[in-house]
Amino acid sequence: TRSDRWFVGIDDFHIGRPTRFAGEMIYRLLDAAYSYQHQLVVASQVDVTRLENLWEGAGAGYGAAIVRRVREINGAVPLQMF
């Protein structure tokens, strides 16, 4: 519901096959997290540009849309760990 806040964690976001279906499902998940102001943590071993390029392989502009949703989450802070 709108009053509940959930933690959404995505690990190894750089792994996976960027099909149209996967792009649509990932975008829907991120859009819901954005719309309902859920907490979101995305972990990847590649930088944002490479993530965007990877998900562009899904077609329909998913790469830019997915990365934009991750960046627009309220309080988003990119961290480079290693």
Side-chain angles (χ1 to χ4, degrees):
T1 65
R2 276 204 179 269
S3 63
D4 292 333
R5 290 192 70 203
W6 294 84
F7 172 82
V8 179
I10 303 174
D11 191 19
D12 292 332
F13 195 47
H14 62 287
I15 296 176
R17 197 171 42 148
T19 64
R20 186 178 284 281
F21 177 77
E24 175 70 19
M25 294 300 105
I26 290 292
Y27 180 77
R28 285 184 183 193
L29 173 68
L30 295 173
D31 190 52
Y34 173 82
S35 296
Y36 292 104
Q37 299 181 342
H38 296 313
Q39 295 174 328
L40 176 68
V41 172
V42 176
S44 176
Q45 293 182 11
V46 300
D47 63 25
V48 174
T49 302
R50 287 176 60 192
L51 274 179
E52 184 173 341
N53 291 337
L54 171 74
W55 286 104
E56 278 301 318
Y62 283 120
I66 286 169
V67 168
R68 187 172 50 251
R69 274 296 180 240
V70 170
R71 286 182 167 166
E72 290 176 348
I73 294 281
N74 193 16
V77 179
L79 298 173
Q80 185 171 348
M81 300 295 285
F82 304 100

